Amino acid sequence: MTAAVQLSNVSKTFGAGADAVHAFGPVDLAIEGGAFISLLGPSGCGKSTLMLMIAGLLAVSDGEIRVNGERVSKPRTDIGIMFQDNTLVPWRHVEGNIALQLELRGLDPKANQPKIDELLKSVRLEGFAHRMPHELSGGMQQRAAFCQALVHDPKTVLLDEPLGKLDAMTRESIRNDLQALWMQKRPTVVFVTHSIEEAVQLSSRVCVVTPRPGRIDRVIDIDLPWPRDLAVKRSARFANYVADIQGIFHGFGIL
Amino acid sequence: MASASSETARLGPRWFDPLSRWAAKSWMFVLFFIGFFLFWEVSIDLFQVPRYILNKPSEILLASRADLPRLLEYTYVTGLEAIIGYVIAIAIAVPLGLAIAFSSILRRTIYPFFVSIEMTPKIAFAPLFISWLGFGLLPKVIIVFLVCFFPIVLNAILAFSSLPDELDRFCRSTGAHWARVFWKVRLPAAMPQCFVGFKYAALNATVGATIAEFIGSDQGLGFYIQISTGNMRPDLAFAGIFLLTLLGLLMFGLVTAAERLLIPWHISVRRNA
Ligand SMILES: Nc1ncnc2c1ncn2[C@@H]1O[C@H](COP(=O)(O)OP(=O)(O)O)[C@@H](O)[C@H]1O
Ligand SMILES: [Mg+2]
């Protein structure tokens, strides 16, 4: 069976000679289709670098990455990608920004209107379709950005700290919607976060990344029932996962 | 849209709303403005200023009315020089800025060249152009072009080379053709910074035309101001200055209106910031 995303001996070094920065790896990892994988690690350990390499937006220095069996050598168009700073453009309203993803791909937004409406509803933005980004709160902007990243039904979704700039309560609320969306569509998700709780709640597996140069220190299967609602989050097993991971980062000298 | 009319009680007809809001914000400035001219008006008598040095605003108004046909004709002449030079500057500088932003060769050759020329005051070339090309329209248009071109091209280069990384990556991940990315993302994203250059250049345009006329011409407001000053008619010189100010305001106002029309989203983003 081929993994949805396969990393083989992947590493990245920026620059050359005395100024070279070894940013990431080497790392081996297989991500099975439909999984929700979190990359959990300190700032600067190379998580964003890895996301860009999986997307084909940055070349690997060594090793190889395969997505659905295909070696990544140029930007992949079959993924959905979302960054900490969203890619909503200020001259289009919410719906127009979602349509931008389709238009850039040469698809007809009108033909996809039902899908756009459904996505907006799933992130509770119905009624905000014609608002401009600057009229929305930070949380609503990220919700709109989710729709933009998902409207072309990508099989693989890369989320680089999409909730990084939001307040705790907004994060919590968007997490639940994100989980519902994933359970419904089941894309393969690679999710970057700083929050241990967030990683445990959302993921089927959590990859613990070491400080730079980032290596995957542990891969932890999160064996908790779906959906991970309040009852699950209050359970002792949930708390155990969180405590274990905290212990690992303590061992790195970070916590 | 939650308009201001729902926030503040409406006092008069609809057109009155923006007017009253403007008045509420600007009454101090208006008072100061009126006060300034009143002070000027009475000072001339008070300090017994000779009329060949300076006139009262009321005398300037009367003199302008008497010489209105010529003033309007010259406003047209100077306006034409300024607008032609300005439009040509935009037409050449924006595509060139785009080319420089995307060509590594141009970035390493023309761009540093432009940056160094930007240091020289373009207006210093004016006498040369007049001596090469005579008293007609062409040398004035060229001088206006020179003083408008550099702010536009430098802002256009900045505009087209500063797309945020995230947006660039998003576009690349769609596999869209370069031209499609340009029309849908790069061009609109560059407009606000381009307009910074357009507005700056609009202010330069009338300055360029006026100085070019000072150096050599037989018509236009710059010529008129110079002749009037030489004839010890400061009232007429001020009439010319007043019309030049109106011309500058008109050009700046037109560019600002174009900005509102073309990129209304930017104005509202800026206002909310
Ligand atoms: N283009 C680049 N050139 C040089 N160094 C870079 C570049 N991009 C990232 N780095 C370095 O690589 C390391 C990993 O960066 P990044 O992937 O952004 O980390 P993370 O997302 O985990 O916070 C950092 O030390 C960063 O300074
Ligand atoms: Mg990062």
Side-chain angles (χ1 to χ4, degrees):
Chain A
M1 198 197 107
T2 55
V5 179
Q6 175 82 49
L7 311 179
S8 313
N9 196 36
V10 170
S11 69
K12 181 69 190 181
T13 303
F14 288 105
D19 295 333
V21 178
H22 182 190
F24 184 78
V27 159
D28 290 289
L29 180 71
I31 303 173
E32 64 279 21
F36 194 118
I37 292 270
S38 283
L39 296 174
L40 185 62
S43 200
C45 73
K47 304 179 299 291
S48 299
T49 303
L50 175 60
M51 296 295 245
L52 293 178
M53 291 191 295
I54 296 175
L57 294 166
L58 185 68
V60 296
S61 303
D62 202 8
E64 76 165 21
I65 298 175
R66 287 176 178 274
V67 174
N68 299 320
E70 250 176 61
R71 189 187 170 130
V72 176
S73 58
K74 58 178 194 323
R76 290 204 65 94
T77 58
D78 56 349
I79 57 161
I81 191 163
M82 192 175 152
F83 308 94
Q84 185 168 359
D85 290 310
N86 65 57
T87 53
L88 303 177
V89 296
W91 57 89
R92 285 177 174 232
H93 53 49
V94 168
E95 195 176 285
N97 263 290
I98 302 171
L100 181 62
Q101 172 84 264
L102 299 169
E103 290 172 30
L104 285 172
R105 290 165 183 273
L107 302 170
D108 178 15
K110 285 219 178 64
N112 287 279
Q113 191 63 45
K115 197 189 297 174
I116 295 176
D117 293 338
E118 183 204 345
L119 268 171
L120 282 172
K121 191 154 179 269
S122 66
V123 297
R124 302 183 227 185
L125 278 183
E126 68 266 57
F128 291 91
H130 296 280
R131 293 300 183 91
M132 300 302 273
H134 75 268
E135 298 176 296
L136 305 180
S137 68
M140 290 160 89
Q141 287 181 14
Q142 293 308 84
R143 288 171 187 275
F146 273 118
C147 300
Q148 189 192 52
L150 296 176
V151 68
H152 56 300
D153 278 330
K155 294 270 174 300
T156 310
V157 179
L158 307 177
L159 304 174
D160 191 355
E161 297 191 54
L163 310 180
K165 285 186 172 167
L166 305 178
D167 62 279
M169 205 174 275
T170 308
R171 289 181 77 127
E172 189 99 18
S173 155
I174 297 183
R175 258 183 233 169
N176 296 333
D177 294 339
L178 181 58
Q179 183 159 80
L181 259 175
W182 172 70
M183 290 177 65
Q184 181 203 332
K185 293 177 184 273
R186 284 310 287 264
T188 308
V189 177
V190 185
F191 181 81
V192 170
T193 179
H194 283 129
S195 158
I196 296 175
E197 256 197 48
E198 192 163 281
V200 173
Q201 185 192 349
L202 291 175
S203 315
S204 48
R205 291 160 85 196
V206 174
C207 301
V208 177
V209 187
T210 65
R212 202 188 81 206
R215 285 163 213 264
I216 294 184
D217 183 76
R218 294 264 290 278
V219 179
I220 302 165
D221 286 306
I222 308 293
D223 183 18
L224 292 170
W226 306 94
R228 309 257 169 91
D229 53 17
L230 203 58
V232 175
K233 291 184 71 182
R234 280 181 181 151
S235 67
R237 281 166 64 206
F238 188 93
N240 282 342
Y241 279 120
V242 172
D244 280 354
I245 296 171
Q246 276 170 341
I248 297 169
F249 282 112
H250 185 76
F252 294 160
I254 292 167
L255 288 181
Chain B
M1 278 274 301
S3 74
S5 57
S6 61
E7 287 155 26
T8 54
R10 178 125 29 102
L11 295 175
R14 180 168 278 277
W15 59 265
F16 193 73
D17 269 8
L19 202 68
S20 62
R21 248 178 295 143
W22 179 82
K25 236 175 24 189
S26 315
W27 64 270
M28 276 214 245
F29 167 72
V30 173
L31 271 188
F32 178 81
F33 204 70
I34 295 171
F36 173 81
F37 281 100
L38 278 180
F39 175 75
W40 180 356
E41 183 80 28
V42 297
S43 308
I44 301 291
D45 282 339
L46 204 63
F47 302 110
Q48 297 180 341
V49 180
R51 292 303 194 267
Y52 60 85
I53 301 276
L54 189 60
N55 292 85
K56 294 178 182 177
S58 59
E59 291 163 352
I60 293 170
L61 269 177
L62 286 175
S64 347
R65 228 179 61 189
D67 208 17
L68 196 60
R70 199 205 314 252
L71 276 167
L72 289 181
E73 185 199 329
Y74 284 176
T75 305
Y76 173 77
V77 169
T78 306
L80 202 64
E81 294 161 0
I83 288 170
I84 294 177
Y86 179 70
V87 169
I88 296 178
I90 289 184
I92 295 181
V94 173
L96 195 60
L98 177 66
I100 292 171
F102 285 99
S103 152
S104 58
I105 294 175
L106 295 183
R107 269 181 101 84
R108 272 175 268 171
T109 52
I110 297 188
Y111 179 57
F113 178 64
F114 279 174
V115 171
S116 44
I117 290 192
E118 173 63 5
M119 303 296 143
T120 58
K122 261 69 60 186
I123 215 71
F125 292 100
L128 282 173
F129 279 109
I130 305 282
S131 83
W132 290 335
L133 300 165
F135 271 34
L137 180 68
L138 185 63
K140 277 97 188 177
V141 168
I142 291 179
I143 290 158
V144 171
F145 171 84
L146 278 181
V147 296
C148 293
F149 176 79
F150 290 93
I152 299 175
V153 80
L154 293 177
N155 277 290
I157 294 169
L158 180 63
F160 286 113
S161 51
S162 51
L163 191 71
D165 282 343
E166 270 82 12
L167 216 46
D168 176 55
R169 287 168 184 153
F170 166 66
C171 292
R172 284 198 285 148
S173 79
T174 64
H177 188 268
W178 196 92
R180 187 178 276 161
V181 171
F182 179 77
W183 287 115
K184 294 204 182 277
V185 179
R186 285 192 184 274
L187 184 63
M191 288 318 280
Q193 188 67 47
C194 283
F195 265 99
V196 172
F198 296 166
K199 286 200 264 190
Y200 190 88
L203 296 174
N204 276 3
T206 46
V207 178
T210 307
I211 295 183
E213 286 171 358
F214 282 171
I215 292 167
S217 72
D218 47 17
Q219 51 181 345
L221 288 174
F223 166 76
Y224 186 86
I225 291 167
Q226 204 177 31
I227 295 299
S228 304
T229 310
N231 292 341
M232 301 200 179
R233 289 293 305 271
D235 52 346
L236 293 179
F238 268 100
I241 291 169
F242 178 69
L243 282 170
L244 268 178
T245 310
L246 280 189
L247 191 62
L249 275 176
L250 178 74
M251 283 189 68
F252 192 77
L254 283 178
V255 181
T256 308
E259 186 187 31
R260 275 170 195 279
L261 201 71
L262 287 173
I263 51 172
W265 50 270
H266 177 64
I267 314 298
S268 41
V269 170
R270 206 169 52 192
R271 206 180 284 130
N272 275 34

